[in-house]
């Protein structure tokens, strides 16, 4: 009996010593990973603001044995999802948002032995032509958690950091795939009405065309503002009897106007007219870099239907561009290839 008594005393002393030891250990943690993504801020934000989108890149939900359930609300403050794994269950809830800048989450996890709460945040920091995404988790382990981690050799740094690294790479991959989505549809032959337009012309390569046209559009808009001229349609690019699939181009940046405008002598902004004609209309939804594919399909349609190109210059109309959306996958561009009637 004496031996048992001593054993119990030693056990109690050992337990007390362990409690004292673990209570003195620093249980705070903060783990951060960052990754630079070449994408518009809003496009990135939309992926991290909605838990439905997390299923596309979150490495935890992709693991076997983890089941996640979306909440009734999945985005904005109050959005949440719950999950279970082999060790317990948890819940992620959006607690604060700074649109296009930062989202803060509360993560609760119940292992059956202890309940933990961590603050998770994802921040978007603009860089030149890109954004840095910073993913952080921080909190403080309870006494139970410190003891559990020690007993089972759990290292939060080794557990979480590689998952954050993989998650950010997954996020980049999903976003790049989304940004490069495009469709081309040949809408057939239709009648186009004549219209006046203000324009500027230049020569360029396919690589420099987009930069030059932006400057030209700005100059035309400035001229229209000075003279109180209202636009009467979407911006256009007119190819001056050139095949736009060639490397060298001569083109005009143009903005439609309602009536003929007499510009001043010596002005670099001129007034032109697009005559009524029949044209093959082709629509590209996606980045402008896919315009060549749209031209190819329009030309193939003309050839397969035995249609002859007319002397009227082909042109494109920017129905939806970066002035209306930050997502290039949502750009809408129409190609008009005039044909002989």
């Amino acid at each position: 009996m004496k031996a048992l008594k001593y054993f119990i005393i030693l056990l109690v002393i050992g337990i007390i010593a362990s409690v004292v030891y673990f209570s003195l250990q620093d249980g705070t943690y903060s783990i951060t990973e960052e990754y630079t993504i070449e994408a518009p801020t809003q496009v990135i934000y939309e992926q991290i603001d909605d838990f439905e989108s997390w299923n596309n890149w979150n490495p935890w939900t992709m693991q076997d044995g983890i089941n996640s359930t979306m909440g009734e609300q999945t985005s904005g403050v109050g959005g949440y999802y719950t999950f279970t794994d082999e060790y317990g269950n948890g819940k992620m809830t959006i607690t604060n948002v700074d649109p296009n800048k930062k989202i803060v989450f509360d993560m609760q996890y119940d292992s059956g032995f202890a309940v933990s709460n961590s603050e998770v945040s994802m921040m978007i920091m603009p860089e030149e032509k890109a954004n840095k995404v910073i993913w952080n988790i921080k909190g403080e382990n309870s006494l139970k958690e410190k003891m559990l981690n020690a007993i089972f050799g759990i290292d939060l740094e080794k557990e979480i950091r590689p998952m954050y690294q993989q998650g950010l790479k997954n996020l980049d991959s999903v976003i790049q795939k989304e940004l490069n989505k495009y469709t081309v549809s040949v809408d057939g032959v239709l009648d186009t009405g004549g219209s006046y337009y203000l324009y500027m012309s230049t020569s360029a390569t396919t690589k420099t065309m987009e930069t030059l046209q932006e400057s030209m559009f700005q100059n035309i808009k400035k001229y229209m503002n000075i003279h109180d001229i209202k636009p009467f349609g979407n911006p256009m690019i007119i190819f001056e009897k050139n095949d736009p699939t060639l490397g060298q181009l001569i083109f005009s940046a143009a903005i439609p106007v309602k009536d003929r405008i007499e510009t001043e002598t010596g002005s670099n902004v001129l007034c032109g007219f697009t005559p009524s004609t029949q044209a093959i209309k082709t629509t590209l939804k996606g980045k402008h870099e896919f315009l060549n594919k749209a031209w190819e399909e329009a030309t193939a349609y003309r050839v397969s239907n035995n249609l002859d190109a007319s002397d009227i210059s082909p042109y494109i109309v920017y129905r939806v561009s970066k002035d209306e959306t930050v997502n290039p996958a949502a750009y809408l561009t129409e190609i008009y290839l005039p044909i002989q009637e």
Side-chain angles (χ1 to χ4, degrees), residues 102-172:
K102 185 178 181 180
I103 304 177
V104 181
F105 314 84
D106 173 71
M107 189 176 79
Q108 184 182 81
Y109 187 76
D110 185 353
S111 66
F113 180 78
V115 177
S116 64
N117 280 87
S118 304
E119 181 184 280
V120 178
S121 65
M122 298 193 78
M123 185 182 299
I124 304 172
M125 298 289 290
E127 296 184 336
E128 187 177 0
K129 297 183 180 180
N131 282 280
K132 181 184 292 183
V133 181
I134 303 170
W135 198 356
N136 172 264
I137 183 171
K138 63 182 179 181
E140 184 170 1
N141 287 319
S142 66
L143 177 60
K144 283 184 179 181
E145 290 173 302
K146 286 189 278 188
M147 294 176 67
L148 185 67
N149 290 346
I151 292 169
F152 291 98
I154 298 172
D155 186 331
L156 289 179
E157 185 91 8
K158 291 182 179 179
E159 293 266 343
I160 293 175
R161 190 172 295 283
M163 297 294 277
Y164 273 17
Q165 291 171 346
Q166 186 59 54
L168 291 171
K169 289 179 181 179
N170 292 347
L171 177 62
D172 182 33

Side-chain angles (χ1 to χ4, degrees), residues 27-299:
T28 60
Y29 56 90
S30 181
I31 303 165
T32 302
E33 278 297 325
E34 56 186 47
Y35 197 88
T36 299
I37 298 177
E38 292 186 16
T41 303
Q42 185 177 324
V43 174
I44 298 173
Y45 182 80
E46 289 171 354
Q47 282 289 332
I48 65 178
D49 178 52
D50 193 336
F51 286 129
E52 290 281 3
S53 299
W54 280 47
N55 285 328
N56 299 323
W57 55 267
N58 183 5
W60 276 282
T61 58
M62 296 177 181
Q63 288 184 322
D64 293 334
I66 293 184
N67 297 308
S68 58
T69 303
M70 294 295 118
E72 294 180 3
Q73 177 186 338
T74 58
S75 66
V77 174
Y80 71 94
Y81 82 96
T82 59
F83 62 92
T84 59
D85 59 22
E86 59 181 316
Y87 303 110
N89 59 80
K91 182 179 181 180
M92 283 275 286
T93 306
I94 299 174
T95 58
N96 190 25
V97 297
D98 188 354
N100 297 321
K101 293 181 180 178
K102 185 178 181 180
I103 304 177
V104 181
F105 314 84
D106 173 71
M107 189 176 79
Q108 184 182 81
Y109 187 76
D110 185 353
S111 66
F113 180 78
V115 177
S116 64
N117 280 87
S118 304
E119 181 184 280
V120 178
S121 65
M122 298 193 78
M123 185 182 299
I124 304 172
M125 298 289 290
E127 296 184 336
E128 187 177 0
K129 297 183 180 180
N131 282 280
K132 181 184 292 183
V133 181
I134 303 170
W135 198 356
N136 172 264
I137 183 171
K138 63 182 179 181
E140 184 170 1
N141 287 319
S142 66
L143 177 60
K144 283 184 179 181
E145 290 173 302
K146 286 189 278 188
M147 294 176 67
L148 185 67
N149 290 346
I151 292 169
F152 291 98
I154 298 172
D155 186 331
L156 289 179
E157 185 91 8
K158 291 182 179 179
E159 293 266 343
I160 293 175
R161 190 172 295 283
M163 297 294 277
Y164 273 17
Q165 291 171 346
Q166 186 59 54
L168 291 171
K169 289 179 181 179
N170 292 347
L171 177 62
D172 182 33
S173 178
V174 167
I175 288 174
Q176 297 310 321
K177 186 176 181 180
E178 180 66 28
L179 291 177
N180 284 286
K181 284 183 178 178
Y182 78 95
T183 59
V184 174
S185 59
V186 180
D187 306 313
V189 177
L190 74 163
D191 295 320
T192 63
S195 64
Y196 289 102
Y197 55 84
L198 292 178
Y199 73 97
M200 294 178 66
S201 298
T202 191
S203 60
T205 66
T206 52
K207 291 183 178 180
T208 61
M209 175 182 161
E210 190 153 359
T211 301
L212 286 171
Q213 73 183 34
E214 285 301 316
S215 174
M216 294 160 73
F217 280 135
Q218 290 303 319
N219 286 333
I220 296 170
K221 289 176 181 178
K222 182 178 179 181
Y223 181 92
M224 294 172 72
N225 287 334
I226 292 173
H227 295 83
D228 195 25
I229 302 170
K230 305 297 181 184
F232 200 64
N234 295 85
M236 307 163 53
I237 293 293
I238 303 167
F239 296 93
E240 309 295 347
K241 298 182 181 180
N242 277 271
D243 182 347
T245 61
L246 295 177
Q248 296 291 327
L249 304 170
I250 299 175
F251 73 92
S252 297
I255 297 178
V257 292
K258 187 175 183 180
D259 303 303
R260 186 170 183 271
I261 304 293
E262 291 284 352
T263 61
E264 301 88 344
T265 302
S267 172
N268 56 3
V269 177
L270 305 174
C271 186
F273 182 76
T274 300
S276 300
T277 187
Q278 286 193 319
I280 300 169
K281 177 189 173 187
T282 303
T283 303
L284 166 70
K285 184 177 182 181
K287 286 182 176 181
H288 296 153
E289 65 187 60
F290 298 118
L291 273 168
N292 275 355
K293 295 186 181 295
W295 281 108
E296 290 169 3
E297 292 202 24
T299 302

Side-chain angles (χ1 to χ4, degrees), residues 303-319:
V303 172
S304 65
N305 286 276
N306 297 313
L307 302 172
D308 295 321
S310 77
D311 292 333
I312 299 173
S313 299
Y315 59 94
I316 62 177
V317 177
Y318 294 122
R319 292 296 179 194

